[in-house]
Amino acid sequence: MTRLMMAAAAAALLAGTAQAEDRGMEFRFGVTAHDLADHVEDGPNLTAEILFGSPDFLSAIWSPRPYVYGSFNTNGLTNFGSAGLAWNIPLTERLNFEIKEGLSYNDGVVDIDQNAPASDPNRIRLATTRALMGSHILFHTTLGLDYDINERWAVGAYYEHISHGQILASGRNQALDNAGVRLSYRFGR
């Protein structure tokens, strides 16, 4: 929770210089390189996201937009979904920086069986082919840069990290780092 609050505060400070802008509902589709830090899991992820217009009650924290996000590994490894808040910070008329903070649920491997013998084939396979997440519930942090092609379409690049940060769980925390590109379509502005 402390990490989430610190990130939200940083986003708020950065967003404080930018005027809040309601960008309406937005759909995004993308592809990410999966597990960049450890390279234990392989294969690209396909992503889909819905961002909603910012409700009035969030204006006190610079009008972030609620989001729902899904990331699906093409090799059948760790998939995850998340929900949270996205702050948009206009850099120029067409270029926007985005910070997202949320919680995610993943279907990955939490940990290997510590009671299994070191020579256990299943333990060896999991330790060498899967990111050991430490928890199914993790923080989801994203930094993105988007370019508005016009009022409806945008393209962007982003980096995301899911981890429990020793806050939502303790012990194992290999986490996942993904980076990718996305295409956005906005409904009404």
Side-chain angles (χ1 to χ4, degrees):
M1 185 58 100
T2 303
R3 181 176 174 216
L4 179 62
M5 289 175 17
M6 286 176 34
L13 288 172
L14 289 172
T17 59
Q19 190 172 33
E21 171 187 355
D22 187 4
R23 299 172 68 81
M25 184 178 235
E26 185 172 341
F27 287 115
R28 292 177 175 167
F29 300 96
V31 63
T32 63
H34 183 74
D35 195 19
L36 295 175
D38 293 327
H39 302 292
V40 177
E41 294 193 357
D42 207 2
N45 281 27
L46 301 177
T47 65
E49 180 175 21
I50 301 172
L51 290 104
F52 302 94
S54 183
D56 291 339
F57 72 88
L58 291 177
S59 64
I61 56 171
W62 295 276
S63 302
R65 296 188 297 163
Y67 75 87
V68 177
Y69 177 83
S71 183
F72 310 96
N73 186 263
T74 57
N75 283 352
L77 299 172
T78 303
N79 305 296
F80 67 94
S82 68
L85 297 174
W87 284 265
N88 182 67
I89 302 162
L91 300 176
T92 69
E93 187 175 311
R94 292 184 181 253
L95 193 61
N96 300 284
F97 179 68
E98 181 181 76
I99 299 171
K100 290 192 318 193
E101 281 293 337
L103 289 176
S104 67
Y105 177 83
N106 71 83
D107 65 358
V109 176
V110 172
D111 204 346
I112 54 178
D113 181 1
Q114 299 299 324
N115 296 321
S119 61
D120 177 53
N122 191 48
R123 180 180 173 148
I124 293 168
R125 179 185 62 79
L126 290 176
T128 58
T129 63
R130 299 299 302 267
L132 304 175
M133 307 305 291
S135 175
H136 288 296
I137 306 292
L138 303 172
F139 292 112
H140 179 227
T141 302
T142 304
L143 302 174
L145 198 59
D146 294 293
Y147 179 79
D148 295 338
I149 298 168
N150 57 39
E151 285 191 14
R152 298 278 183 225
W153 292 95
V155 295
Y158 65 107
Y159 162 82
E160 65 186 353
H161 177 77
I162 62 170
S163 167
H164 63 66
Q166 302 299 329
I167 297 169
L168 295 174
S170 61
R172 187 75 70 174
N173 184 25
Q174 286 185 323
L176 286 176
D177 292 288
N178 300 336
V181 295
R182 62 190 176 199
L183 179 65
S184 304
Y185 180 80
R186 287 187 204 103
F187 292 88
R189 255 178 110 145

